Amino acid sequence: MALRLAPPASGDSPIFDPSQLRPGMTGVGRTVFQGVTPEEFQVEILGVLKNGIGPQQDMILSRLHGKNVERTGVIAGMSGSPVIVDGKILGAVSYRLGTFEKEAIAGITPLGDMLKAADMPRSPAPTLAASLLKEWENPGTIAAAARSVPIPGMAASLVPIGTPLVFGGYPESLIREVTPLFQARGLEPVAGGGGQGSGEDYAIVPGVAISVPLVRGDLSIAATGTLTHVEGNKVWAFGHPFLGTGSVRYPMARAEVIVTYPSLLGSFKIANSTSLMGTLLQDRLTCIEGELGAAPVMLPVSVSVENPGGNRQFSFEVVQDDALTPILVGISVQASLQRILQYSSETTLRAEIRVESAKHPTLSYTLVESDIGGVQSAAVGGVAREVAMLLNVIYGNRFHELQVTSASVKVVSLPEARLARVSEISMSPSQVRSGEDLTVRASVQPYRGEPFLKEFKVRIPPDTPRGPLNVLVSSAANLNGLEGGVLQQRFNGSPSVDDLIRFINSLRQDDGLYLQLTRRGLGAVVQGEALPALPLSVLYTLGNNRFAGEEYPAPDLPVLEVVEKIDFVLTGGRRTAIQVR
């Protein structure tokens, strides 16, 4: 689709110098209240707040007039609305005076400060992934962003105008769950369409609506603001940060405003993101800045569910970003499963997760989640968070940036709880020699079911020395908990991305019953590999601080481990010992 740019005059318009402003001067602003055509409103200059945005970055205080803004006040979604004084561009409407305001008092970011964003380095953005996932798991850890600007002599502060984040296809309960997460970053989640519509291919001029689509397809999430300025193929918008992540590569798209909703708590626009129009490159203190043309490649994601009611599949694309991709995919997977599954009580989900990336092995991981009741949130939420954590490992790896090409989640669902615990174990014979066979029987107690026996027949390794041998029959979760330090060191010690992926692929499965034989000995984890028997001199060397990052002394490591698959999500474990003669 060809892009229609602003007329040359808009790019050549001179900039109004804020130092020439005087209280009482007037101008006009432009923004879209409905549809795609900008409408004008009047702007009265109140004064200039020195260093109001930051050091040597002033904020212009103004009062807005006009039938629309006097009815709605300052609107979430009008961030970036250009202000023209004496035919020159002054800046962007970008800040508001709290809530319940009696007048539409707004802060304006000078255009001169916004233009500087284009000259900033294209350095990697600081990652927010760990904090985002932590806050999703534990909402009590969310802290509001400190972006307010106090007004001298007033018990009030100017805050960035909220950016509407329109969710399309997401359950209302999930939107409520993640709202604090996004509100803390200046975004205002809104339930609505928000998806890509056909939309009018309008000219890209100051005052039109602009969106940043984060998710597109069967589900959609898009942020909406207003375009401030166009120079050639460069555009500036918002007048304040989107997420403040610095150098980025997010898609930019046109937007069609469906309605502007007036509210004393804060009016906002609901809009559809329409045709893609370029790439957002900078997310800085004073604005977002991008280039018109091709949009960046997004991550294709598919979620398919097989259940007694039939098979369904959702497909969508997610922005490629170290910080945002993991949590956006996790939220979208949870929405997909909640939309497809209708169970309100017992649920068991078996999920196969695959992540493809160029020039690296496929990440392939299976998990099983089961829930005895509730509105399916425990099992569904467990799958979604696991997907997010796995993607966080890939996008946040310490080696180099990966070109992730696709992600898929295939779920088989049953309307019953398949839960069980390990209750008892027994062995025969009671003593063995190295190289001899050992039979271990485990009693498994299902949730609301009859117990059953699972039998292991193993051979004691020929090189096993005499002495006690620990015998553990356990669930994956229990065994991983016992080996937490060793697993963490194996993860940290992975020498490459490929080894990191292979480590994840080898992790124990939730529906496995594990038999592990261990003995107290001299062992270590070296570059992610478990070595169960080492000379004292080697262990002493590994204990030296110079090697502490990649090697980890571990005196109790497995001699043998086998697994039996069972159709349950297991918990617990039992331990005993046997004497090797």
Side-chain angles (χ1 to χ4, degrees):
M1 181 183 294
L3 292 170
R4 290 193 289 137
L5 304 182
S10 70
D12 298 334
S13 296
I15 300 172
F16 193 98
D17 184 356
S19 67
Q20 302 301 311
L21 288 173
R22 298 294 180 266
M25 294 180 68
T26 59
V28 295
R30 298 188 182 117
T31 198
V32 177
F33 294 97
Q34 188 172 24
V36 299
T37 304
E39 299 179 49
E40 290 190 351
F41 55 91
Q42 286 66 53
V43 180
E44 175 191 353
I45 301 300
L46 300 178
V48 177
L49 186 61
K50 292 295 183 181
N51 301 321
I53 296 174
Q56 299 181 358
Q57 293 176 316
D58 300 339
M59 180 190 295
I60 302 158
L61 297 182
S62 67
R63 181 183 290 111
L64 311 184
H65 300 280
K67 64 177 183 179
N68 285 314
V69 294
E70 288 176 358
R71 180 175 63 95
T72 62
V74 181
I75 306 162
M78 74 184 303
S79 297
S81 298
V83 175
I84 313 298
V85 176
D86 290 343
K88 300 179 181 181
I89 303 176
L90 174 63
V93 174
S94 51
Y95 285 74
R96 62 179 297 167
L97 190 61
T99 55
F100 301 110
E101 72 265 21
K102 293 183 179 181
E103 295 182 301
I105 304 298
I108 298 172
T109 302
L111 181 62
D113 290 334
M114 296 174 63
L115 296 180
K116 296 173 184 176
D119 300 323
M120 292 186 176
R122 302 286 170 85
S123 55
T127 180
L128 299 174
S131 62
L132 285 169
L133 293 177
K134 180 182 178 182
E135 291 170 13
W136 187 26
E137 185 72 29
N138 302 292
T141 63
I142 297 175
R147 292 186 188 171
S148 61
V149 180
I151 304 299
M154 298 177 62
S157 296
L158 285 160
V159 296
I161 299 172
T163 302
L165 191 65
V166 182
F167 286 71
Y170 292 76
E172 185 178 349
S173 60
L174 179 56
I175 296 174
R176 287 197 305 268
E177 179 185 330
V178 300
T179 287
L181 182 74
F182 291 107
Q183 280 184 333
R185 290 163 175 84
L187 305 177
E188 296 293 339
V190 179
Q196 63 270 28
S198 54
E200 179 183 337
D201 185 18
Y202 55 77
I204 301 170
V205 296
V208 299
I210 181 175
S211 72
V212 183
L214 302 177
V215 181
R216 291 167 57 89
D218 292 336
L219 298 167
S220 60
I221 302 176
T224 304
T226 302
L227 186 66
T228 307
H229 185 60
V230 182
E231 283 187 10
N233 70 333
K234 294 183 180 296
V235 295
W236 291 259
F238 283 25
H240 59 65
F242 172 43
L243 291 169
T245 46
S247 177
V248 295
R249 288 190 63 81
Y250 300 159
M252 294 191 304
R254 295 176 172 88
E256 178 184 11
V257 178
I258 305 303
V259 65
T260 296
Y261 182 79
S263 171
L264 291 175
L265 286 174
S267 301
F268 56 88
K269 299 180 183 181
I270 298 179
N272 279 329
S273 177
T274 59
S275 58
L276 294 172
M277 67 181 199
T279 301
L280 177 62
L281 298 173
Q282 298 286 359
D283 180 10
R284 300 292 180 172
L285 176 65
T286 57
C287 68
I288 61 173
E289 179 265 337
E291 291 183 357
L292 301 172
V297 175
M298 300 178 76
L299 173 67
V301 181
S302 66
V303 180
S304 61
V305 176
E306 176 185 332
N307 65 8
N311 300 341
R312 289 188 63 185
Q313 178 170 321
F314 283 4
S315 298
F316 47 89
E317 294 178 310
V318 179
V319 64
Q320 295 262 24
D321 181 79
D322 290 353
L324 294 179
T325 304
I327 191 165
L328 290 174
V329 173
I331 292 170
S332 301
V333 167
Q334 182 166 335
S336 301
L337 297 180
Q338 287 185 356
R339 286 301 191 196
I340 294 172
L341 300 174
Q342 303 299 322
Y343 310 143
S344 59
S345 54
E346 299 179 359
T347 307
T348 297
L349 304 177
R350 178 185 297 274
E352 297 180 6
I353 303 163
R354 292 178 64 88
V355 180
E356 305 280 355
S357 53
K359 301 179 181 180
H360 294 283
T362 298
L363 186 150
S364 179
Y365 184 78
T366 300
L367 73 147
V368 186
E369 292 280 349
S370 194
D371 182 21
I372 62 174
V375 190
Q376 85 237 17
S377 58
V380 168
V383 171
R385 284 166 171 77
E386 199 75 17
V387 171
M389 291 301 295
L390 290 171
L391 283 170
N392 186 41
V393 170
I394 294 297
Y395 278 91
N397 80 84
R398 63 190 175 92
F399 300 100
H400 59 80
E401 183 178 350
L402 268 66
Q403 182 185 346
V404 184
T405 56
S406 69
S408 66
V409 182
K410 295 182 179 180
V411 177
V412 177
S413 169
L414 294 174
E416 58 181 286
R418 304 287 293 178
L419 295 166
R421 63 181 180 86
V422 182
S423 57
E424 296 178 0
I425 62 172
S426 60
M427 297 180 301
S428 63
S430 58
Q431 292 186 344
V432 291
R433 289 187 173 88
S434 58
E436 292 184 344
D437 292 337
L438 174 68
T439 300
V440 180
R441 298 177 182 88
S443 177
V444 179
Q445 175 64 63
Y447 169 72
R448 292 184 176 178
E450 294 296 321
F452 61 89
L453 289 177
K454 204 69 178 176
E455 186 174 272
F456 296 89
K457 290 188 176 181
V458 296
R459 179 159 295 175
I460 304 298
D463 57 352
T464 304
R466 294 182 179 183
L469 198 63
N470 297 318
V471 179
L472 175 65
V473 178
S474 173
S475 66
N478 187 63
L479 201 51
N480 290 343
L482 292 173
E483 294 183 355
V486 172
L487 290 175
Q488 186 65 50
Q489 289 298 324
R490 288 183 60 193
F491 175 82
N492 294 341
S494 298
S496 68
V497 172
D498 289 2
D499 289 291
L500 186 63
I501 293 173
R502 282 191 282 267
F503 169 76
I504 294 172
N505 292 347
S506 69
L507 290 174
R508 302 180 180 104
Q509 306 297 310
D510 299 306
D511 58 349
L513 180 64
Y514 291 84
L515 168 66
Q516 187 183 80
L517 305 182
T518 65
R519 60 178 289 109
R520 297 295 292 181
L522 304 176
V525 175
V526 179
Q527 289 193 333
E529 295 296 325
L531 305 179
L534 292 171
L536 278 173
S537 58
V538 175
L539 276 176
Y540 178 79
T541 302
L542 295 181
N544 189 296
N545 288 335
R546 292 181 301 143
F547 298 91
E550 302 294 337
E551 291 79 18
Y552 178 76
D556 196 359
L557 291 173
V559 173
L560 179 148
E561 182 175 305
V562 294
V563 61
E564 289 282 345
K565 288 289 186 179
I566 63 174
D567 196 20
F568 291 90
V569 179
L570 282 171
T571 58
R574 289 291 183 269
R575 183 196 296 268
T576 187
I578 190 171
Q579 194 70 23
V580 178
R581 296 178 293 174

